[in-house]
Amino acid sequence: MASDTTQAPAADDASTQEQAHGFGDWFNRIGWRKLIITIPYFWLLLFFLTPFAIVLVISFSEAAIAIPPFRIGTSWSEIMEMASYNFGLLADDSLYWWGYLNSVKIAAISTVFCLLLGYPMAYGIARANGAWRNILLLLVILPFWTSFLLRIYAWMGMLSNNGLINDILTGIGITSEPIQMMNTDFAVYIGIVYSYLPFMILPLFANLERLDLTLNEAAMDLGSRPWRTFIDVTLPLSLPGIVAGSLLVFIPATGEYVIPALLGRSDSPMIGKVLADEFFLNRDWPVASAVAVVLLVLLVVPIMAFNHYNAKEQEG
Amino acid sequence: MGKRSTFLVSVLCFGFAFFYVPIFVMMFYSFNRSRLATVWGGFSTQWYGKLFENDQIIDAALLSLRIAVVSATMAVILGTMAGLILARMGRFKGRTLFSGMISAPLIMPDVITGLSLLLLFVTLQQWTGWPAGRGATTITIAHITFSMAYVAVIVQSRLLSMDESLEEAAMDLGSTPLRVMFDVTLPIIAPAMVSGWLLAFTLSLDDLVIASFTAGPGATTLPMLIFSKVKLGVTPDINALATLIVLVVAIGVAGAGYIMYRTEKRRERDVQMAVAGNE
């Protein structure tokens, strides 16, 4: 099978598997183990890993009027010249470097708000009893299943100048003129917190649910006040949940496109929108690729941290 | 304790209001007679009727459904294999890379995934002639790739929560591994496969960014169509379409969840009765 010609790793001999037993062992005996490992492995190598290599190559090329619209240099000096043009543009033009800074800032602040709202919610759900807990959990998961795009759209109706919020504010006389909320950073924060809140609540809930309550009781029995018990016992123990939830919000929010495109301002776009515009409007594939490469470099540490956390979590 | 509970209850109420009020407001205005989306002009269902006369919307919805069914099914096959590998296959060369490639798609920003897949398809076409152009096929491949990661994680955690000794006991009792696979393992991970399929289906139906990158000029999925209309502002016909989609998904998910919950309860009861019977 393909496993010999590709780098798809299948155990070549028994010595490389330290603890295969049960199915692993049996599949290995009949030769299926290689096959079962190879198919998804090959798929991910081809459709997940290889594309990044291609993005990297194209970020070292120049835009051209051709199909596809780029040209790869024929000599080293030409390639380096093209690369320095693309990446130099990102450093020189404030549209790009400000886009990165702005995106990291917006994603970080949104993550903090998700945590501030999500932590007490997850805590409340984890402390709720039986039936209530299931219902509340279902209520958190349900929006996560319904269309992301349509939920952002729903906020366009809420935030517009003649939308519900402004109607209420003018109705009770807080303002006489509607407050401009659409196409502001405020709307982007609302959109990100709204869309990503379940990603914060669910890992936190999973973590808080498992916590040993006897520790809290012990601390309280020893005279600790509830608030101190929370700070000294619960909070440190829930740190893994906080980290997982924050990464799940921060990483995708940094590259967010739909929310800034529908709710944000057009004069200082987030980097995801800059990338998409570069690709769809300017049709400059090399610069779009360079934007993607730098974004990936920016996110590589949090992504590795998430992968590490995930592997640890799954392997117990 | 009392004070803290009040605090938790109020945060929960605020959080759920935050989750649900915008959706209910949108649903409410879908019954607005007025063309002005946010000015109430009386009750009407006219926008729902207009939806079904709009061929563009029907075509886009059918294309999206087709892509969602195919990609969810493929994602369940590949994702279940991947989950099985991570939970039951022990160590193998490149396992770290494999588990990295399974969890990274969960958080990768859509613009990066979309752009990189498009460039892959273009390059492949130049070198091998396949895929010939971009459209439903390339969108489907893209959707399989990111949703199989979700399926793998769900299946893997299900397998890890289940004791491997059940499978080993069945094998020790002389059952062939293939029988164990079909009689023990698959029934246990079946609920995970069902939720994985549903999740992959809704993720595919919902995806705008990756589809926009990987679609050719000919293919327009429902989210792409909605996005192009929504950019111009809130309109009652999109409110109606959104209401329909949200209701169908919510009812589908709640129904599937209920059926799975009942099956699971019955299975647990059967196991308990079997254990009690042996004592």
Side-chain angles (χ1 to χ4, degrees):
Chain A
M1 207 17 236
S3 60
D4 295 321
T5 49
T6 64
Q7 292 110 10
D12 292 315
D13 51 73
S15 64
T16 57
Q17 325 145 26
E18 283 158 35
Q19 42 150 303
H21 44 87
F23 282 119
D25 204 20
W26 176 68
F27 280 128
N28 197 34
R29 269 207 307 280
I30 63 166
W32 278 22
R33 188 167 183 269
K34 269 187 188 175
L35 186 72
I36 286 197
I37 295 178
T38 304
I39 294 170
Y41 212 113
F42 182 75
W43 182 283
L44 288 172
L45 279 180
L46 179 61
F47 293 118
F48 188 71
L49 208 56
T50 321
F52 293 127
I54 295 173
V55 171
L56 191 64
V57 170
I58 291 175
S59 72
F60 280 66
S61 70
E62 71 173 2
I65 301 170
I67 299 175
F70 59 86
R71 192 174 71 83
I72 293 177
T74 45
S75 69
W76 266 116
S77 60
E78 204 183 359
I79 290 173
M80 283 303 144
E81 206 175 296
M82 291 169 174
S84 66
Y85 172 78
N86 295 338
F87 289 98
L89 190 66
L90 303 195
D92 290 341
D93 192 330
S94 68
L95 175 71
Y96 304 101
W97 59 261
W98 178 247
Y100 288 110
L101 286 181
N102 197 27
S103 305
V104 168
K105 183 194 88 182
I106 290 178
I109 294 177
S110 311
T111 306
V112 171
F113 278 112
C114 277
L115 188 60
L116 289 179
L117 183 56
Y119 196 103
M121 285 183 78
Y123 192 86
I125 298 171
R127 292 288 168 270
N129 53 13
W132 267 110
R133 175 191 288 205
N134 286 337
I135 293 171
L136 294 176
L137 206 54
L138 184 73
L139 285 175
V140 172
I141 295 171
L142 209 55
F144 169 80
W145 285 83
T146 51
S147 171
F148 166 76
L149 176 61
L150 294 176
R151 282 184 293 136
I152 295 303
Y153 170 72
W155 272 102
M156 292 175 69
M158 297 283 288
L159 294 171
S160 69
N161 276 355
N162 49 8
L164 186 74
I165 295 179
N166 267 317
D167 278 357
I168 293 174
L169 290 181
T170 46
I172 56 177
I174 290 181
T175 64
S176 50
E177 287 290 299
I179 300 171
Q180 173 72 32
M181 285 184 286
M182 271 295 285
N183 306 112
T184 62
D185 281 349
F186 172 73
V188 176
Y189 287 122
I190 293 265
I192 294 181
V193 173
Y194 183 68
S195 315
Y196 289 98
L197 192 55
F199 291 99
M200 180 63 88
I201 295 178
L202 294 176
L204 274 173
F205 167 79
N207 177 284
L208 289 167
E209 189 199 20
R210 281 195 306 241
L211 288 192
D212 190 356
L213 275 182
T214 54
L215 285 174
N216 292 32
E217 282 162 22
M220 298 237 244
D221 286 348
L222 293 170
S224 177
R225 299 167 59 85
W227 181 242
R228 278 233 65 92
T229 311
F230 175 76
I231 299 279
D232 293 340
V233 180
T234 313
L235 201 58
L237 284 174
S238 59
L239 210 56
I242 294 176
V243 171
S246 302
L247 290 171
L248 275 171
V249 174
F250 177 77
I251 300 168
T254 307
E256 184 54 54
Y257 167 72
V258 179
I259 298 171
L262 290 181
L263 301 177
R265 25 199 270 231
S266 45
D267 56 334
S268 76
M270 286 175 74
I271 200 67
K273 188 166 181 307
V274 172
L275 192 161
D277 288 348
E278 206 59 64
F279 181 83
F280 289 110
L281 302 180
N282 299 346
R283 286 185 59 76
D284 193 332
W285 293 17
V287 170
S289 301
V291 173
V293 168
V294 173
L295 180 56
L296 206 57
V297 168
L298 209 64
L299 292 177
V300 82
V301 171
I303 289 175
M304 298 283 263
F306 175 77
N307 281 353
H308 176 75
Y309 166 84
N310 219 25
K312 226 173 57 184
E313 184 74 356
Q314 296 287 359
E315 263 134 53
Chain B
M1 272 319 263
K3 221 182 236 167
R4 211 170 52 172
S5 303
T6 325
F7 169 69
L8 288 179
V9 170
S10 10
V11 174
L12 278 172
C13 289
F14 174 78
F16 286 117
F18 181 57
F19 272 142
Y20 286 99
V21 168
I23 297 176
F24 286 130
V25 170
M26 175 184 78
M27 289 180 170
F28 177 76
Y29 278 109
S30 72
F31 297 104
N32 191 355
R33 183 187 300 279
S34 165
R35 177 168 281 283
L36 292 164
T38 48
V39 179
W40 186 248
F43 180 85
S44 157
T45 53
Q46 57 170 330
W47 304 110
Y48 288 88
K50 294 226 165 90
L51 279 185
F52 293 99
E53 293 162 14
N54 188 332
D55 287 340
Q56 218 188 353
I57 290 181
I58 307 263
D59 287 347
L62 288 178
L63 177 69
S64 281
L65 282 174
R66 213 175 69 210
I67 293 173
V69 168
V70 176
S71 67
T73 308
M74 282 295 292
V76 165
I77 296 171
L78 288 168
T80 304
M81 287 167 89
L84 210 60
I85 292 167
L86 287 170
R88 289 288 190 265
M89 292 288 179
R91 290 171 176 282
F92 56 88
K93 270 188 213 158
R95 190 194 150 98
T96 316
L97 177 65
F98 186 71
S99 78
M101 289 194 299
I102 281 294
S103 59
L106 306 179
I107 43 166
M108 192 58 70
D110 287 349
V111 282
I112 296 184
T113 312
L115 176 71
S116 60
L117 272 165
L118 169 86
L119 296 179
L120 172 82
F121 291 136
V122 170
T123 311
L124 275 181
Q125 189 185 4
Q126 270 188 311
W127 287 354
T128 66
W130 179 91
R134 284 164 299 285
T137 313
T138 47
I139 301 175
T140 309
I141 292 174
H143 285 180
I144 294 168
T145 308
F146 75 78
S147 26
M148 73 179 270
Y150 285 86
V151 178
V153 169
I154 297 174
V155 168
Q156 187 193 3
S157 26
R158 176 83 185 176
L159 277 169
L160 289 175
S161 72
M162 161 195 151
D163 204 349
E164 207 173 341
S165 61
L166 261 180
E167 291 156 348
E168 278 162 6
M171 283 196 222
D172 288 346
L173 291 169
S175 192
T176 64
L178 202 60
R179 282 217 69 89
V180 176
M181 176 66 112
F182 282 98
D183 292 349
V184 182
T185 313
L186 281 181
I188 289 176
I189 59 174
M193 290 166 74
V194 174
S195 23
W197 192 91
L198 284 169
L199 186 58
F201 180 81
T202 53
L203 285 171
S204 165
L205 213 54
D206 195 21
D207 168 61
L208 165 72
V209 176
I210 296 173
S212 304
F213 275 100
T214 52
T220 305
T221 63
L222 193 57
M224 286 162 71
L225 185 72
I226 293 175
F227 186 69
S228 66
K229 287 180 182 295
V230 157
K231 267 194 293 194
L232 306 173
V234 178
T235 54
D237 54 337
I238 296 293
N239 283 342
L241 180 61
T243 303
L244 280 184
I245 295 176
V246 168
L247 281 183
V248 167
V249 170
I251 292 170
V253 168
Y258 180 68
I259 292 170
M260 265 155 43
Y261 175 76
R262 274 205 0 208
T263 329
E264 186 74 350
K265 279 275 160 207
R266 193 177 311 137
R267 201 182 64 84
E268 272 169 22
R269 213 173 43 228
D270 288 350
V271 170
Q272 272 166 8
M273 278 168 69
V275 171
N278 284 336
E279 272 165 4

